[in-house]
Amino acid sequence: MRRLPSFFSLRAFEAAARLGSFRRAGEELHQTPSAISHQVRSLESWFDRPLFVRQTRRVTLTAEGQRLLDRLTPAFDCIEEACAELRAPEQKLELAVHCAPSFAAKWLSPRLAHFMQAHPGITIRMSSSAEPADLQRVEDIDLDIAYGLPPAQPGVVVEALGREITMPMCSPRLIDGRGPIAPADLAQFTWIESPLNPVQWADWCALNGLKLTDRARPSFDRGSLAIAAAADGLGIALETTRFAQGELARGELVVLDGPGFRRIEREMHFLCYRKAERDSREIAAFREWLGAEMAADARGD
């Protein structure tokens, strides 16, 4: 019969010793710090000697504790290797995401690292084009994030990704030294067009009681390009603030807003996937993550 202390106490000790913290050991083992501390004290009682020197914010090993860790580490390594040899290999999952180019560049790509950290077993394959994907015909795309409401397709679920605010925005240099600006004052400036945008200058003018001027307007076929042109001082872009979060935060752009301005709020982006694949692990994970990111955006986190 083997004379051994509790395996759970040994595991708690090894984690706390390796990480130098009862709190971090609890996080790794999904237990509370007090539970880890209780198991370590139980082990110390079994040995009838202290294994840790407890300090306010950290713990350090005694000489006996270090000697025990030196022997336990290779033993736990052997146990882990033996279990890994018998365990079925983890299934590698891939998720093919098709996305509108500006949404991919300005919103999705900067956040994808969060998804990859949360779901290391899922590999993302990204593709991009202005046209929405035909999920009935293109089998190697799992999810599509479309700009503008896509055509209805049997068996395809379409979910709006929240209402977006579209506002005039420009470089602060363009209006430097001017006093308060009213909607009518925008006619003095160059207006930048983005022809693929579901919201056009004609919509904004109609909402704000203005007549659309016939002045020439430089045109960019991507919202991201229109935003870059505005940040460079070329003129005023009419774009969703979702695309311009970085430029607005860095002060490269300012929104033209005030008591006389009326904003346009619309659902602009839509998540599409096949209804039959709704509950697949990778699609469910991406939908949950995307919803959480959108909610954080809405809160301003």
Side-chain angles (χ1 to χ4, degrees):
M1 182 177 180
R2 295 184 184 275
R3 297 187 60 214
L4 294 172
S6 161
F7 174 79
F8 297 106
S9 295
L10 289 171
R11 186 178 64 163
F13 164 80
E14 189 275 337
R18 172 167 42 83
L19 298 171
S21 164
F22 288 174
R23 178 185 61 80
R24 293 173 63 190
E27 291 173 355
E28 179 176 289
L29 299 177
H30 305 290
Q31 298 181 28
T32 64
S34 61
I36 297 295
S37 177
H38 177 77
Q39 292 176 58
V40 169
R41 288 194 182 279
S42 174
L43 190 64
E44 289 175 325
S45 296
W46 195 88
F47 285 116
D48 195 24
R49 65 190 66 198
L51 301 173
F52 285 102
V53 177
R54 291 159 174 83
Q55 298 168 312
T56 304
R57 296 186 178 274
R58 57 193 293 263
V59 291
T60 56
L61 289 167
T62 63
E64 290 83 359
Q66 184 63 56
R67 190 170 67 186
L68 179 61
L69 178 65
D70 291 343
R71 301 296 295 272
L72 280 182
T73 297
F76 272 97
D77 289 344
C78 287
I79 293 172
E80 187 175 20
E81 290 172 9
C83 293
E85 288 177 2
L86 293 179
R87 187 180 182 184
E90 287 189 12
Q91 182 183 7
K92 296 297 182 181
L93 300 175
E94 283 193 352
L95 184 66
V97 179
H98 180 270
C99 189
S102 292
F103 187 89
K106 304 296 291 182
W107 194 92
L108 183 59
S109 292
R111 292 167 171 79
L112 268 183
H114 301 164
F115 178 82
M116 295 166 65
Q117 290 166 3
H119 303 279
I122 301 176
T123 301
I124 295 287
R125 289 195 295 110
M126 283 284 301
S127 61
S128 179
S129 68
E131 294 298 320
D134 186 343
L135 296 180
Q136 288 185 305
R137 302 179 63 182
V138 183
E139 295 183 358
D140 59 352
I141 292 177
D142 301 309
L143 289 168
D144 180 38
I145 300 176
Y147 188 34
L149 184 62
Q153 300 179 69
V156 174
V157 179
V158 177
E159 297 176 349
L161 296 180
R163 296 174 69 84
E164 301 180 42
I165 299 173
T166 297
M167 303 174 67
M169 55 188 75
C170 68
S171 166
R173 302 190 306 273
L174 200 66
I175 55 172
D176 187 33
R178 294 175 178 267
I181 292 180
D185 297 330
L186 269 62
Q188 306 169 30
F189 302 95
T190 299
W191 292 358
I192 297 170
E193 275 196 339
S194 182
L196 297 182
N197 190 335
V199 177
Q200 294 292 307
W201 278 108
D203 303 313
W204 184 85
C205 285
L207 183 64
N208 284 272
L210 301 175
K211 182 180 178 180
L212 181 67
T213 68
D214 56 3
R215 292 178 58 182
R217 293 184 288 273
S219 178
F220 296 88
D221 68 349
R222 297 287 184 270
S224 56
L225 297 178
I227 286 171
D232 288 337
L234 187 61
I236 299 175
L238 183 67
E239 276 297 340
T240 167
T241 55
R242 181 177 280 175
F243 284 174
Q245 286 178 347
E247 289 82 0
L248 292 170
R250 294 189 296 270
E252 298 168 6
L253 287 175
V254 293
V255 295
L256 300 173
D257 197 16
F261 286 82
R262 298 187 66 184
R263 301 177 174 187
I264 295 177
E265 292 191 32
R266 291 186 187 175
E267 293 171 340
M268 306 272 281
H269 289 88
F270 299 84
L271 178 66
C272 311
Y273 55 90
R274 300 175 190 88
K275 186 176 182 180
E277 299 172 356
R278 179 187 198 117
D279 296 324
S280 72
R281 176 183 160 190
E282 57 272 33
I283 288 179
F286 192 86
R287 288 178 61 231
E288 181 180 355
W289 170 80
L290 189 63
E293 290 288 327
M294 289 290 174
D297 257 13
R299 295 191 303 268
D301 294 356

